[in-house]
């Protein structure tokens, strides 16, 4: 990151309020569309408000939170578990795969630019299109995946109901689609990180007689820490809130096997119209998101320049 | 870095397989949208058939896709313009001018990018309904613009910070105000970057699904939301779906090729080059 130097000569700008006026539209817009809805969310989460009876909204205190967090609320805890697995597994695979691809493309190869761009394409494809394609590809009767498995004579491994239809494979399948869409992002960050590495530490390590794997673990990886933090920050927060691809492929099914937090909250709010419960869940979700992103952003912020 | 020994064959094999995996869905969607309906799901798949525009004709005649396409263009266009212009001005202020607790403010802007959208969308849906903004272009534009501010502010700040302040100062010695110097000197210098930032916000808005799904009904419905509706419990309208998907994807691929140079920088919010 580039920090602007505070230059004393700039203090002769006539009015001190100008800098603030210039950032005002952005700040006001963001406050109106983030802070204001947070306040509303908090307010709604204390109401027993279901939109099928819109005028009936009694204050119920923390009752919504109690029923969401109650241990007998298996749907909620199952969703938390799914979301946790989704974030952890997707993040782990994407970081490893992205770093691996970045080291490959960073070698002195031909057509480096072509590979670097082609590998980025999945990231810019609309999640709606991604979801529709993979729903078609994993369809049990005519999907391409089952077809290829049959061609490769792996018939016994094909679930009758399709990979998205079986409880034991659905979540992993959805995670693999996330890996397809977002490994390009970790690849991009690591590739940029690798390109900007200085030469000297590698030369020094080589003169000291280190092996290539030692150089990777003890020189490359520590130098890539900023890239790693950025990749974790963006990918963890985006995986945590995953909605579109999951919604289009499975709607959270079968039997809640792929239900993530955003999907459950969306259903509660817009299928059951339960504003009280859904905003209580989203407030808990928000607190977790803010905690994690603050920790990650701070570790980026305070890194030695 | 010096040339080290590496296994050429493995490297190229992995990269070629990776590229095929990355590009195959695009190939499948576009070719399927051009196949006659009879051949969509023949097993084994036929990869090369005589292309037909039947699916597109059906899409344009049987649905209101033209309207949704225009909606998508209006929403992505206006939210990009709003985010790019206001965001660029704020980025200038952050990069050059004196603001107390500047770092905190700019990290706060970044942290709004980390908020799960469902959290703000439920109250927004309720508020917009009572303000008459539900199912209007303006409602979605407000949401998409806010979503794009972090990108624009962070990316443009990193570009503006790279231009030496001396060029502005010399203009100011010649009698320009600081804002005038920004307008006449810095802005033209960062124009390519601003265009690339605009393209990236356009892509984000064009592709966005959840907000458009929640904040629109029939009137302001966008192309992704329409395309999603071709898949339902009753079945999947493959022809329309792949034709709609092609309409979403192809313009984006073209734009991406144009801003290729700025992709890394944009997608990492200006943190990497």
């Amino acid at each position: 990151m580039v920090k602007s130097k505070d230059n004393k000569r700039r203090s002769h700008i006539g009015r001190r309020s100008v800098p603030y006026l210039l950032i005002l539209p952005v700040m006001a817009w963001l406050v109106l569309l983030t802070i204001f809805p947070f306040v509303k969310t908090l307010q709604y989460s204390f109401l027993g408000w279901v939109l099928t009876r819109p005028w009936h909204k009694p204050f119920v205190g923390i009752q919504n939170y109690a029923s969401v967090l109650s241990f007998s609320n298996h749907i909620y805890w199952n969703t938390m578990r799914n979301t946790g697995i989704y974030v952890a597994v997707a993040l782990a695979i994407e970081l490893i795969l992205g770093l691996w691809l970045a080291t490959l493309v960073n070698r002195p190869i031909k057509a480096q630019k072509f590979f670097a761009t082609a590998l980025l394409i999945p990231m810019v494809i609309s999640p709606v299109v991604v979801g529709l394609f993979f729903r078609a590809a994993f369809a049990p009767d005519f999907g391409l995946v089952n077809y290829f498995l049959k061609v490769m004579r792996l018939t016994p491994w094909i679930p009758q109901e399709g990979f998205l239809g079986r409880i034991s494979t659905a979540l992993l399948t959805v995670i693999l689609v996330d890996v397809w869409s977002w490994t390009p992002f970790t690849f991009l960050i690591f590739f940029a990180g690798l390109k900007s590495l200085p030469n000297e530490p590698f030369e020094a390590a080589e003169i000291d007689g280190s092996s290539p794997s030692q150089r990777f673990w003890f020189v490359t990886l520590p130098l890539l820490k900023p890239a790693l933090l950025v990749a974790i920050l963006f990918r963890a927060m985006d995986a945590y809130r995953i909605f579109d691809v999951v919604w289009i492929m499975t709607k959270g099914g079968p039997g809640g096997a792929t239900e993530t937090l955003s999907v459950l909250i969306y259903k509660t709010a817009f299928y059951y119209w339960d504003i009280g419960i859904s905003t209580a869940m989203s407030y808990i979700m928000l607190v977790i998101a803010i905690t994690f992103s603050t920790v990650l952003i701070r570790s980026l912020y305070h890194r030695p320049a | 870095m010096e040339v080290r020994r590496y296994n050429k064959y493995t490297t190229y094999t992995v990269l070629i397989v990776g590229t095929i995996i990355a590009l195959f869905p695009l190939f499948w969607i576009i070719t399927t949208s051009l196949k006659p309906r009879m051949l969509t799901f023949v097993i084994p798949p036929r990869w090369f058939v005589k292309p037909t525009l039947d699916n597109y004709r059906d899409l344009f005649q049987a649905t209101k896709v033209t309207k949704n396409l225009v909606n998508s263009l209006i929403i992505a266009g206006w939210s990009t313009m709003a985010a790019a212009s206001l965001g660029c001005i704020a980025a200038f202020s952050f990069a050059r001018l004196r603001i107390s607790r500047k770092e905190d403010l700019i990290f706060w802007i970044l942290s709004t990018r980390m908020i799960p959208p469902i959290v703000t969308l439920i109250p927004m849906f309720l508020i917009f309904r009572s303000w008459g903004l539900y199912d209007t272009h303006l409602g979605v534009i407000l949401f998409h613009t806010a979503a794009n501010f972090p990108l624009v502010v962070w990316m443009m700040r990193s570009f503006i910070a790279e231009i030496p302040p001396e060029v502005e100062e010399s203009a100011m010695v010649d009698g320009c105000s600081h804002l005038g110097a920004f307008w006449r000197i810095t802005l033209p210098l960062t124009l390519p970057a601003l265009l690339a930032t605009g393209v990236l916000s356009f892509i984000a808005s064009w592709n966005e699904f959840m907000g458009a799904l929640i904040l629109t009904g029939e009137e302001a419905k966008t192309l992704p939301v329409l395309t999603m509706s071709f898949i339902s419990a009753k079945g999947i309208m493959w022809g329309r779906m792949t034709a709609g998907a092609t309409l979403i994807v192809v313009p984006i691929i073209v734009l991406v090729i144009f801003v290729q140079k700025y992709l890394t920088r944009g997608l990492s919010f200006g943190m990497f080059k």
Side-chain angles (χ1 to χ4, degrees), chain A residues 183-262:
Chain A
T183 300
F185 180 76
T186 56
F187 159 74
L188 169 108
I189 300 289
F190 285 129
F191 185 47
L194 284 173
K195 274 196 300 189
S196 66
L197 291 187
N199 256 334
E200 295 76 20
F202 292 94
E203 283 158 10
E206 203 156 7
I207 291 164
D208 292 346
S210 61
S211 71
S213 70
Q214 277 175 323
R215 281 199 294 275
F216 176 78
W217 287 107
F218 298 107
V219 185
T220 314
L221 221 47
L223 287 172
L224 278 180
K225 201 181 154 204
L228 190 67
L229 282 172
V230 171
I232 292 175
L233 171 67
F234 280 88
R235 280 314 306 139
M237 298 321 290
D238 282 356
Y240 176 59
R241 68 194 197 188
I242 185 72
F243 173 78
D244 21 39
V245 173
V246 175
W247 181 249
I248 288 160
M249 286 199 297
T250 64
K251 294 223 166 20
T258 58
E259 199 149 77
T260 58
L261 264 175
S262 289

Side-chain angles (χ1 to χ4, degrees), chain A residues 38 41 240 281-291, chain B residues 115-116 119:
Chain A
F38 291 170
T41 300
Y240 176 59
M281 284 194 287
S282 60
Y283 214 77
I284 300 167
M285 185 180 187
L286 175 70
V287 169
I288 297 173
I290 289 182
T291 312
Chain B
I115 298 162
V119 177

Side-chain angles (χ1 to χ4, degrees), chain B residues 59-250:
Chain B
L59 179 69
F60 278 92
Q61 279 164 4
T63 71
K64 289 193 203 146
V65 67
T66 321
K67 186 177 183 175
N68 303 126
L69 199 62
V70 171
N71 285 342
S72 274
L73 278 172
I74 292 175
I75 289 169
W78 279 107
S79 66
T80 299
M81 280 195 271
S85 55
L86 298 175
C88 180
I89 293 168
F92 166 73
S93 186
F94 278 123
R96 288 282 200 264
L97 307 180
R98 194 173 274 213
I99 292 174
S100 63
R101 308 198 58 186
K102 184 188 274 187
E103 291 291 307
D104 287 337
L105 290 177
I106 196 146
F107 274 94
W108 178 73
I109 291 180
L110 178 65
S111 72
T112 64
R113 161 67 178 69
M114 305 302 160
I115 298 162
I118 187 72
V119 177
T120 52
L121 281 169
I122 297 172
M124 236 182 262
F125 167 79
L126 296 165
I127 297 164
F128 281 12
R129 271 204 331 180
S130 60
W131 289 359
L133 285 171
Y134 173 73
D135 202 13
T136 62
H137 294 146
L138 183 60
V140 191
I141 291 168
L142 285 173
F143 175 67
H144 282 182
T145 305
N148 274 330
F149 276 143
L151 167 76
V152 176
V153 171
W154 272 71
M155 191 166 164
M156 287 315 294
R157 186 185 69 136
S158 91
F159 277 108
I160 294 170
E162 261 172 28
I163 293 172
E166 286 72 26
V167 292
E168 277 162 34
E169 277 150 20
S170 62
M172 284 154 69
V173 170
D174 296 341
C176 256
S177 69
H178 206 146
L179 267 179
F182 167 69
W183 182 251
R184 278 180 216 143
I185 314 283
T186 317
L187 193 63
L189 287 173
T190 52
L191 202 58
L194 184 60
L195 283 177
T197 313
V199 167
L200 290 174
S201 342
F202 186 90
I203 294 175
S205 170
W206 178 267
N207 284 345
E208 201 274 341
F209 175 64
M210 193 185 211
L213 177 71
I214 291 174
L215 299 177
T216 68
E218 274 307 309
E219 281 309 301
K221 193 193 269 184
T222 62
L223 197 53
V225 181
L226 172 82
T227 307
M228 211 268 315
S229 69
F230 298 141
I231 198 159
S232 68
K234 277 176 261 163
I236 301 170
M237 292 181 252
W238 294 101
R240 283 182 201 174
M241 186 197 96
T242 50
T246 307
L247 290 183
I248 299 174
V249 163
V250 170

Side-chain angles (χ1 to χ4, degrees), chain A residues 146-175:
Chain A
N146 282 5
Y147 167 71
F148 281 124
L149 288 177
K150 268 179 208 150
V151 171
M152 290 191 286
R153 308 207 176 275
L154 294 168
T155 328
W157 290 1
I158 306 171
Q160 275 303 310
E161 59 281 53
F163 285 96
L164 288 170
R166 177 172 287 191
I167 289 181
S168 58
T169 54
L171 186 59
L172 199 64
T173 310
V174 172
I175 291 173

Side-chain angles (χ1 to χ4, degrees), chain A residues 4 19-20 107 110 180 206 301, chain B residues 2 11-12 93 95 100 103:
Chain A
S4 64
Y20 299 95
R107 287 169 177 176
K110 281 181 191 136
W180 180 86
E206 203 156 7
Y301 191 1
Chain B
E2 93 279 24
T11 308
Y12 282 111
S93 186
S100 63
E103 291 291 307

